[in-house]
């Protein structure tokens, strides 16, 4: 199967099961929305009845923001993480850098880390539902089916998550930390900034390629775990690793093609979000819609990764994947 | 400084040389170089002729200096005190190392260390002395803390007292071991930046020697002429205080001598690095006033050339226009090598900037640091306060002047972040220069008053105090007195104190004199105390006049002389309301403020409050409602530690709250998706 075909199938699956997408989105919005309530209240209390309110609506009141930040209690309040750079494409780029460097944990206030971990567990659960839907050729979405599959695959997906976490730990905390130390040493003796910058970029490139590779292997392990229901955790991981190595070029091609699609969506977001740049309530609504559209698209792209890879897996192994055919995978 | 100008020196210069030698008929007669605009009554106190050689193998600079020192005090003096700043990094336990909490060799390997060793000292013959060796009188002294491990100050004894007004010439041989960068001086690879590197005499006052051991603060020295011959490897590009004299002398041993000279300065620093790009430009900063700008630029910052030069020009132009013309013939900007630790520092006619590899337009770097360090030519270089004691007199004055130049020349700065080392600039987030120093000041506002000597201030509070609080004081004074008056205050201060050593009180008297107001109350509260300013709107209460209000009485807290409480006036108009607007003073500092009250029928009232009481209530009778109250509407009091509480608006405007919350929500949603990407 060509990677284009696999991607098209992935897009088809993700789009067909838009209801599943909505389920994931509801959790995303509910968690972030719940967190945003105290933030809204904190800002409202300090801003809405001051002369800064208008300036903040029409642009940005730097001094107000500095005072707000200084009055927050670090570590306790979510509003401490409000920042002037949370606009346009920048938050996505910042989050991407933190992902690449494995520094999400270091750079976020602890309530957000816990929220992230909670969402991670929830999406691990929901991924079971999504894969269950994708694996069945022509099943129609129902919440009952979705959550049934989510529950059924949760344990193995959780196991894969634990292994993935270990792999990421090795990558980010062991290799990443060592690289940072190297960059710091080189930086200390360099007479041109190019030296540490180039070295840092090289490190980031290695990290992102490795993180993507781990992600890809774990995806195929999830797919295998769902495809061959009775399969244990380690056979699923080994099978996935074997699959990836046997089909390295195409597997990577598919992964990066999907990543390219994700990047294009982010770029489109960057252009669209400018429409909501004005001060009116209407423009605020436009901004909110564009933002939520992008979040939906992010969830969709995660589903495209899964759908595309599942289709590719299926195509390569030429077996009808279904929970009704719980065979052992071929070596 | 100027760099090797091997190609055609200006015609004028050649003509000068010819004319000069014809007139004098002296072989080798020296062209006067490094002159300044003549200053009536100026007489040098400490002048140096130096001849030194840089050895890159041993990281040493060695040679000698001939110091001509004039006793400008009313007492004879027998003992001369000298700084040996480099010895702060020679031995464990030096006061400098103790104060920054570092040890040798625990924190620093051998090659990082430095020292300055005096190997010879003799008095040269003149009308007061016969030639005599005085090296055996050499002794380290520790007048500040008695720390015997500190060798940053030494003394030499003269064979007999030097009378008031008398002059002594000393020849001191010395060797300096250059460190691997401490406190903006040192080497990295083949880059050498030499500052505070030679035996430098302290300042003699009528009260005795004003010279402190090396604390992690800045410096103090007397004015004179520096005539320095630097012999360095021939591949070096050299920049230094002053002007290059004559041609380079190229020697057979692979070295070259660069000769620099500058009058009327109080320090000498230099840099030598083979990799520098050099740009020279004549700049007429005011009609009829020209100086030569030289930029020594790191190759990786080639594209910042114009930004550096333009910033320097803005600095020279505005400082000269506002305070007085820049008197020197050269201004040399050094873009320090990455990681050299030399960035952002001032020396006479010579200063360092600094920039990141990717310097975004809209973020004023290198501009800010360039203007700041140039600005020190005025506040430090020309007006030579004691930086060790009154750092606010240079740093505070200069931070304010620098911000003002940037404000006028560039407009507001912008928020930016770095992602993967690349800048992202947020044009929407403008950082007004007037308020720029506020966050850092507020974080240490109540720690120390400005009047504590700088070297005794807690290190964590030094910057917020000497730079930021002082800058905000200047902005406040400018707002209070008006720019034209305040500019006159500063130019008078400059005019009266250039080439001298003013103290804080000298500035205060000039403020009073020029403004025609006694501002002692201001300096008492803001210079002599660490009290803070915080005015706020407490609230607005409205009552229909028709309502019974038997409990109304003049509140105890109502201030003396405040508006009369008039409960008995009853509604001629049934819609008439009694409106009370209460403002508060939350900080200890009192300052007269304006209070703007805007009614919803468009009427606007500006009240003037002396700001003395803790609370003050303005009472109105209107049929309209108060829509907005702002304390200090013209934002004069930038020292106010909380501006948010200065305003109150009846009608909530939640667009800003909505915008910020939506942005935060989106960011968190995206964070969650990145977490999910791990699963
Ligand atoms: Zn400074």
């Amino acid at each position: 199967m060509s990677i284009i075909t696999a991607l098209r199938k992935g897009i088809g699956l993700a789009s067909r099961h838009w209801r599943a997408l909505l389920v994931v989105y509801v959790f995303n919005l509910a968690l972030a929305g719940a967190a945003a309530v105290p933030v809204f209240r904190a800002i409202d209390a300090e801003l809405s009845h001051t002369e800064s309110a208008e300036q903040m609506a029409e642009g940005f009141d730097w001094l107000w923001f500095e005072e707000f930040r200084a009055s927050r209690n670090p570590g306790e309040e979510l509003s401490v993480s409000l920042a002037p750079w949370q606009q346009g494409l920048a938050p996505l780029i910042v989050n991407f850098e933190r992902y690449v460097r494995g520094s999400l944990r270091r750079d976020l206030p602890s309530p957000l880390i816990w929220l992230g971990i909670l969402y991670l567990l929830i999406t691990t659960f929901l991924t079971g539902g999504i894969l269950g839907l994708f694996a069945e050729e022509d099943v129609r979405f129902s919440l009952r089916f979705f959550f049934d599959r989510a529950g059924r695959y949760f344990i193995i997906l959780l196991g894969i998550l634990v292994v993935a976490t270990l792999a990421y730990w090795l990558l980010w905390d062991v290799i990443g930390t060592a690289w940072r130390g190297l960059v710091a040493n080189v930086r200390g003796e360099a007479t041109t900034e190019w030296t540490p910058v180039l070295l840092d970029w090289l490190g980031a490139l290695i990290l992102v390629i490795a993180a993507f590779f781990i992600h890809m292997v774990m995806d195929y392990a999830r797919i295998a775990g769902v495809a061959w229901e009775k399969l244990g955790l380690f056979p699923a991981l080994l099978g996935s690793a074997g699959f990836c190595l046997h089909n390295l070029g195409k597997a990577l091609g598919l992964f990066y093609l999907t990543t390219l699609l994700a990047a294009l969506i982010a770029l489109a977001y960057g252009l669209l979000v400018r429409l909501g740049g004005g001060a009116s309530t209407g423009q605020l609504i436009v901004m909110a819609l564009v933002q939520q559209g992008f979040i939906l698209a992010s969830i969709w792209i995660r589903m495209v990764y899964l759908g595309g890879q599942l289709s590719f897996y299926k195509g390569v192994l030429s077996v009808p994947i279904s929970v009704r055919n719980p065979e052992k995978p071929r070596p | 400084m100027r760099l090797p100008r091997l190609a055609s020196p200006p015609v004028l210069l050649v003509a000068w040389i010819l004319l000069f030698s014809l007139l004098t008929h002296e072989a080798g007669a020296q062209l006067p170089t490094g002159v300044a605009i003549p200053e009536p009554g100026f007489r040098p106190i400490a002048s140096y002729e130096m001849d030194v050689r840089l050895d890159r193998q041993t990281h040493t600079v060695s040679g000698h200096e001939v110091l001509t020192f004039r006793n400008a005090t009313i007492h004879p003096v027998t003992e001369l005190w000298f700084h040996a700043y480099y010895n702060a990094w020679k031995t464990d336990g030096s006061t400098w190392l103790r104060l920054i909490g570092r040890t040798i060799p625990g924190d620093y390997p051998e090659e990082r260390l430095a020292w300055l060793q005096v190997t010879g000292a003799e008095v040269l013959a003149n009308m007061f002395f016969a030639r005599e060796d005085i090296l055996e009188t050499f002794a380290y002294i520790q007048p500040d803390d008695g720390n015997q491990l500190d060798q940053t100050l030494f003394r030499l004894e003269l064979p007999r007292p030097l009378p008031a007004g008398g002059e002594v010439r000393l020849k001191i041989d010395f060797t300096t071991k250059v460190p691997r960068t401490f406190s903006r001086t040192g080497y990295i690879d083949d880059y050498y930046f030499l500052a505070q590197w030679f035996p430098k005499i302290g300042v003699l006052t009528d009260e005795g020697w004003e010279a402190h051991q090396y604390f992690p603060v800045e410096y103090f020295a007397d004015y004179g002429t520096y005539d320095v011959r630097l012999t360095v490897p021939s591949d070096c590009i050299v920049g230094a205080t002053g002007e290059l004299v004559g041609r380079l002398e190229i020697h057979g041993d692979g070295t070259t001598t660069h000769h620099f000279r500058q009058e009327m300065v109080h320090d000498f620093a230099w840099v030598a690095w083979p990799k520098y790009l050099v740009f020279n430009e004549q700049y007429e900063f005011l009609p009829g006033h020209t100086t030569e700008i030289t930029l020594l630029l790191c190759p990786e910052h080639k594209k910042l050339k114009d930004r550096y030069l333009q910033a320097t020009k803005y600095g020279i132009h505005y400082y000269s226009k506002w305070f007085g013309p820049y008197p020197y013939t050269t201004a040399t900007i050094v873009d320090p090598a990455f990681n050299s630790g030399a960035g952002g520092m001032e020396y006479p006619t010579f200063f360092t900037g600094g920039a990141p590899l990717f310097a975004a337009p809209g973020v004023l770097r290198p501009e800010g640091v360039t203007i700041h360090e140039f600005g020190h030519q005025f506040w430090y270089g020309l007006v030579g306060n004691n930086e060790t004691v009154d750092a606010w007199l240079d740093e505070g004055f200069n931070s304010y002047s620098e911000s003002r130049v940037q404000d006028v020349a560039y407009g507001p700065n912008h928020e930016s972040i770095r992602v993967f080392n690349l800048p992202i600039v947020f044009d929407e987030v403008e950082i007004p220069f007037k308020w720029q120093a506020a966050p850092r000041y507020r974080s240490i506002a109540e720690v120390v008053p400005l009047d504590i000597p700088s070297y005794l201030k807690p290190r964590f509070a030094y910057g917020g105090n000497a730079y930021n609080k002082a800058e905000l004081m200047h902005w406040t004074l400018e707002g209070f007195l008006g720019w034209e008056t305040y500019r006159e205050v500063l130019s008078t201060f400059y005019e009266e104190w250039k080439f001298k050593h003013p103290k804080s009180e000298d500035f205060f008297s000039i403020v009073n004199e020029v403004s025609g107001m006694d501002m002692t109350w201001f300096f008492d509260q803001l210079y002599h105390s660490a009290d803070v300013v915080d005015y706020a709107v407490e609230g607005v209460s409205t009552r229909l006049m028709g309502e019974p209000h038997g409990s109304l009485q003049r509140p105890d807290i109502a201030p003396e002389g405040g508006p009369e409480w008039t409960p008995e006036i009853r509604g001629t108009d049934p819609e008439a309301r009694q409106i009370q607007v209460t403002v508060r003073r939350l900080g200890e500092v009192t300052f007269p403020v304006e209070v703007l009250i805007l009614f919803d029928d468009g009427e606007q009232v500006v009240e003037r409050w002396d700001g003395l009481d803790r609370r003050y209530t303005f009472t109105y009778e209107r049929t309209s409602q108060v829509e907005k109250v702002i304390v200090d509407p013209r934002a004069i009091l930038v020292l106010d530690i909380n501006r948010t509480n200065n305003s109150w608006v009846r009608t909530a405007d939640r667009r800003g709250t909505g915008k910020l919350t939506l942005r935060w929500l989106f960011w968190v949603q995206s964070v969650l998706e990145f977490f999910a990407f791990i699963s």
Side-chain angles (χ1 to χ4, degrees):
Chain A
M1 180 183 279
S2 82
I3 56 175
I4 300 288
T5 313
L7 179 64
R8 272 173 42 202
K9 287 197 169 193
I11 292 173
L13 281 169
S15 309
R16 175 142 56 89
H17 294 294
W18 58 270
R19 289 182 184 84
L21 190 158
L22 280 185
V23 173
V24 181
Y25 173 72
V26 163
F27 279 97
N28 177 297
L29 185 64
L31 289 187
V37 172
V39 174
F40 176 85
R41 288 213 181 119
I43 301 170
D44 188 45
E46 299 281 316
L47 181 66
S48 298
H49 283 282
T50 70
E51 58 163 342
S52 298
E54 197 180 337
Q55 199 182 330
M56 197 53 106
E58 274 152 24
F60 199 95
D61 188 331
W62 174 83
L63 183 67
W64 177 87
F65 178 78
E66 287 295 316
E67 294 187 352
F68 179 77
R69 173 153 62 191
S71 68
R72 299 299 98 188
N73 194 350
E76 282 178 30
E77 293 182 52
L78 282 166
S79 56
V80 78
S81 57
L82 188 73
W85 52 260
Q86 284 155 359
Q87 54 170 296
L89 212 48
L92 300 180
I93 302 173
V94 168
N95 287 345
F96 179 64
E97 185 187 34
R98 289 174 176 179
Y99 164 79
V100 170
R101 298 190 190 278
S103 70
L104 279 167
R105 273 172 312 148
R106 285 194 301 274
D107 296 337
L108 293 175
S110 53
L112 278 188
I113 294 170
W114 289 114
L115 201 70
I117 291 170
L118 179 62
Y119 187 66
L120 177 55
L121 292 173
I122 292 171
T123 48
T124 303
F125 174 74
L126 299 178
T127 300
I130 293 169
L131 283 175
L133 279 173
F134 287 1
E136 304 278 336
E137 283 293 320
D138 17 66
V139 69
R140 283 179 62 84
F141 176 88
S142 76
L143 279 178
R144 187 193 171 91
F145 181 87
F146 183 81
F147 283 111
D148 174 73
R149 292 302 185 267
R152 183 180 296 184
Y153 304 128
F154 184 58
I155 295 301
I156 183 144
L157 293 186
L158 199 61
I160 291 168
L161 174 63
V162 170
V163 176
T165 308
L166 275 173
Y168 286 124
W169 173 79
L170 198 70
L171 178 67
W172 286 328
D173 286 45
V174 178
I175 299 172
T177 306
W179 194 275
R180 274 202 307 280
L182 174 75
V183 175
N185 279 341
V186 169
R187 163 177 278 268
E189 293 305 317
T191 50
T192 160
E193 200 177 348
W194 278 114
T195 319
V197 163
L198 290 176
L199 207 59
D200 179 66
W201 283 346
L202 180 63
L205 190 67
I206 293 169
L207 286 180
V208 74
I209 289 172
F212 280 177
F213 189 75
I214 293 172
H215 185 89
M216 187 180 82
V217 172
M218 295 302 153
D219 266 358
Y220 284 110
R222 282 183 271 266
I223 290 162
V226 170
W228 317 96
E229 202 175 62
K230 294 284 190 298
L231 204 59
L233 172 63
F234 289 102
L237 284 163
L238 286 176
S240 161
F243 177 85
C244 289
L245 290 177
H246 272 108
N247 306 283
L248 190 62
K250 281 192 166 184
L252 285 177
L254 175 60
F255 189 91
Y256 281 97
L257 199 61
T258 316
T259 306
L260 181 68
L261 186 61
L264 289 176
I265 291 172
L267 215 61
Y269 168 77
L271 295 174
L272 281 173
V273 79
R274 288 162 188 263
L275 298 177
S280 72
T281 311
Q283 275 161 316
L284 271 187
I285 292 169
V286 171
M287 180 171 92
L289 289 177
V290 173
Q291 287 175 338
Q292 296 313 306
F294 177 79
I295 296 299
L296 282 165
S298 311
I299 299 168
W300 179 79
I301 205 82
R302 274 204 291 125
M303 289 171 66
V304 171
Y305 274 111
L306 288 173
Q309 290 174 136
L310 182 134
S311 306
F312 179 61
Y313 186 84
K314 223 164 123 174
V316 171
L317 294 187
S318 356
V319 288
I321 295 178
S322 160
V323 289
R324 287 178 294 260
N325 297 319
E327 299 170 31
K328 289 279 171 197
R330 292 170 184 191
Chain B
M1 75 54 65
R2 273 191 351 231
L3 268 261
R5 271 198 319 202
L6 295 173
S8 65
V11 179
L12 205 67
L13 202 71
V14 178
W16 229 122
I17 294 171
L18 285 173
L19 186 68
F20 197 79
S21 42
L22 279 174
L23 289 174
T24 55
H25 292 283
E26 266 179 46
Q30 199 68 67
L31 173 74
T33 313
V35 292
I37 291 177
E39 178 63 17
F42 173 82
R43 282 185 65 202
I45 289 180
S47 294
Y48 298 79
E49 289 157 60
M50 294 192 220
D51 196 342
V52 294
R53 171 180 287 265
L54 166 67
D55 183 339
R56 285 200 301 228
Q57 260 65 53
T58 56
H59 308 300
T60 54
V61 174
S62 49
H64 70 265
E65 66 185 28
V66 174
L67 164 69
T68 306
F69 175 73
R70 181 168 64 86
N71 178 2
T73 72
I74 53 173
H75 308 293
V77 63
T78 325
E79 198 176 89
L80 304 181
W81 288 17
F82 290 84
H83 295 281
Y85 291 111
Y86 265 32
N87 284 343
W89 315 306
K90 172 186 177 185
T91 46
D92 194 31
S94 74
T95 297
W96 194 95
L97 285 169
R98 276 186 188 176
L99 285 168
I100 67 156
R102 298 292 166 88
T103 57
I104 292 173
D107 293 305
Y108 301 113
E110 182 75 23
E111 77 267 17
R112 286 204 78 113
L113 304 185
W115 39 258
L116 189 162
Q117 193 182 2
V118 172
T119 51
E122 59 182 322
V123 172
L124 300 181
N126 72 350
M127 65 182 289
F128 296 99
F129 296 95
R131 188 181 189 110
E132 193 168 331
D133 194 309
I134 55 166
L135 184 61
E136 64 180 22
T137 70
F138 177 100
Y140 289 116
I141 50 173
Q142 300 83 14
D144 294 295
D145 61 3
N147 172 13
Q148 295 296 312
L149 298 172
D150 193 80
Q151 302 186 351
T152 55
L153 205 57
F154 68 85
R155 75 153 186 245
L156 291 170
E157 264 171 51
L158 296 174
R160 74 178 64 83
L162 173 66
E167 240 175 33
V168 62
R169 275 165 63 78
L170 294 178
K171 178 169 181 280
I172 299 176
D173 304 305
F174 64 95
T175 299
T176 285
K177 158 69 175 60
V178 186
R180 170 56 193 89
T181 310
F182 275 101
S183 209
R184 297 191 168 97
T185 182
Y187 75 89
I188 178 166
D189 194 26
D190 51 0
Y191 174 93
Y192 283 77
F193 195 101
L194 277 287
Q196 317 307 335
W197 57 284
F198 61 94
K200 185 159 61 170
I201 196 161
V203 175
L204 183 62
T205 70
D206 291 340
E207 287 75 45
W209 283 100
E210 178 61 43
H212 295 278
Q213 293 160 241
Y214 195 10
F215 287 78
V217 288
E218 295 182 351
Y219 317 94
F220 189 39
D222 254 316
Y223 291 91
T225 300
Y226 284 76
D227 190 296
V228 183
R229 296 168 60 83
L230 302 168
T231 302
V232 298
S234 293
D235 61 354
C236 284
I237 305 281
V238 178
T241 294
E243 212 178 326
L244 195 67
V245 179
R247 291 186 173 251
L248 303 183
E249 296 164 32
I250 299 161
H251 310 293
D253 61 353
T255 63
T256 298
T257 300
H258 304 244
H259 182 184
F260 290 89
R261 184 175 183 279
Q262 183 61 55
E263 295 174 353
M264 297 163 78
V265 290
H266 55 60
D267 200 2
F268 186 93
W270 55 287
V271 64
W273 195 31
K275 297 190 182 73
Y276 267 131
L277 307 174
V278 184
F279 303 95
N280 283 77
E281 212 173 296
Q282 285 290 334
Y283 174 53
E284 188 175 23
F285 52 93
L286 287 178
H289 292 273
T290 305
T291 196
E292 180 173 22
I293 301 174
T294 301
L295 169 63
L296 303 190
L297 194 63
C298 296
E300 71 197 67
H301 293 154
K302 202 173 174 184
K303 58 187 180 301
L304 296 180
K305 174 196 148 203
D306 292 336
R307 289 177 63 178
Y308 261 120
L309 288 173
Q310 186 58 59
T312 309
K313 289 177 185 174
Y314 279 140
I316 301 179
H317 170 71
Y318 284 109
Y319 276 70
S320 298
K321 187 177 159 192
W322 293 339
F323 312 132
Y326 178 66
Y328 301 119
T329 50
T330 62
T332 301
I333 319 140
V334 176
D335 173 38
F338 175 70
N339 211 21
S340 66
M345 191 58 188
E346 68 278 10
Y347 310 94
T349 80
F350 177 82
F351 54 97
T352 58
L357 182 57
F358 304 104
V363 178
L364 294 172
R365 195 167 142 78
E367 288 85 353
V369 65
T370 304
I371 295 172
H372 180 93
E373 306 310 340
F374 167 77
H376 274 303
Q377 300 308 319
F378 284 71
W379 312 124
Y380 145 86
L382 292 158
V383 176
N385 64 292
N386 185 343
E387 295 181 289
T388 316
V389 176
D390 296 317
W392 84 282
L393 280 181
D394 56 289
E395 296 303 354
F397 276 59
N398 194 39
S399 298
Y400 159 73
S401 314
E402 166 223 336
S403 292
R404 209 168 191 293
V405 171
Q406 290 186 81
D407 197 23
V408 171
Y410 297 99
N413 209 346
H414 294 98
E415 179 84 14
S416 69
I417 53 169
R418 288 192 171 261
V419 184
F420 293 115
N421 302 298
L422 299 170
I424 303 180
V425 184
F426 302 96
D427 290 337
E428 185 200 67
V429 188
E430 296 186 342
I431 304 172
F433 279 106
K434 190 167 138 176
W435 289 101
Q436 189 188 221
R440 273 164 294 161
Y441 156 62
R442 291 167 183 185
S443 67
I444 53 92
E446 290 173 277
V447 177
V448 269
L450 273 168
D451 66 0
I452 303 284
S454 309
Y455 69 100
L456 298 178
K457 278 176 188 158
R459 278 176 51 73
F460 72 92
Y462 170 74
N465 187 266
Y467 288 68
N468 306 125
K469 180 180 184 178
E471 174 178 348
L472 295 168
M473 268 172 67
H474 284 290
W475 280 110
T476 302
L477 284 170
E478 181 196 317
F480 187 70
L481 300 174
W483 162 240
E484 261 322 305
T485 307
Y486 201 55
R487 193 204 57 74
E488 208 185 317
V489 166
L490 294 174
S491 64
T492 308
F493 181 59
Y494 171 74
E495 196 53 45
E496 284 190 18
W497 286 98
K498 64 184 174 189
F499 307 111
K500 294 181 196 138
H501 305 305
K503 296 203 161 60
S504 300
E505 287 69 23
D506 300 316
F507 173 66
F508 303 155
S509 21
I510 282 177
V511 173
N512 294 343
E513 182 189 307
V514 174
S515 71
M517 281 189 238
D518 184 359
M519 296 294 289
T520 311
W521 58 273
F522 179 84
F523 296 111
D524 278 352
Q525 297 186 96
L526 290 157
Y527 176 76
H528 290 297
S529 100
D531 289 343
V532 296
V533 182
D534 187 8
Y535 284 97
V537 179
E538 182 175 83
V540 175
S541 70
T542 309
R543 187 191 302 271
L544 278 172
M545 299 289 287
E547 283 178 5
H549 45 286
S551 66
L552 266 186
Q553 50 182 300
R554 185 186 165 116
D556 296 342
I557 49 166
E560 211 79 48
E564 280 302 305
W565 188 253
T566 51
E568 294 313 316
I569 299 171
R570 286 186 188 257
T572 44
D573 181 339
E575 289 296 301
R577 295 177 172 89
Q578 184 173 62
I579 297 169
Q580 293 180 302
V581 175
T582 306
V583 289
R584 289 196 67 175
R585 173 170 66 82
L586 300 168
E588 292 303 314
V589 173
T590 60
F591 197 99
V593 285
E594 289 177 350
V595 181
L596 180 144
I597 296 136
L598 180 73
F599 293 89
D600 62 2
D601 60 1
E603 185 195 355
Q604 192 170 300
V605 178
V606 178
E607 304 279 3
R608 280 176 184 77
W609 177 33
D610 61 16
L612 294 177
D613 291 297
R614 280 291 179 184
R615 185 183 263 110
Y616 195 90
T617 301
F618 300 98
T619 306
Y620 306 94
E621 283 157 32
R622 294 287 192 285
T623 51
S624 51
Q625 297 260 35
V626 172
E627 178 52 33
K628 192 187 272 187
V629 182
I630 305 175
V631 184
D632 187 27
R634 291 190 289 148
I636 288 169
L637 263 175
V638 291
L639 281 158
D640 194 321
I641 58 162
N642 184 341
R643 179 78 194 165
T644 302
N645 66 15
N646 279 40
S647 64
W648 175 86
V649 182
R650 172 178 302 279
T651 316
D653 181 349
R654 294 210 158 75
R655 291 172 302 153
T657 306
K659 180 167 97 177
L660 291 181
T661 310
L662 281 176
R663 287 176 174 185
W664 188 85
L665 172 74
F666 173 73
W667 169 65
V668 172
Q669 285 181 286
S670 157
V671 165
L672 294 185
E673 278 306 304
F674 271 97
F675 266 90
F677 199 63
I678 294 170
S679 82

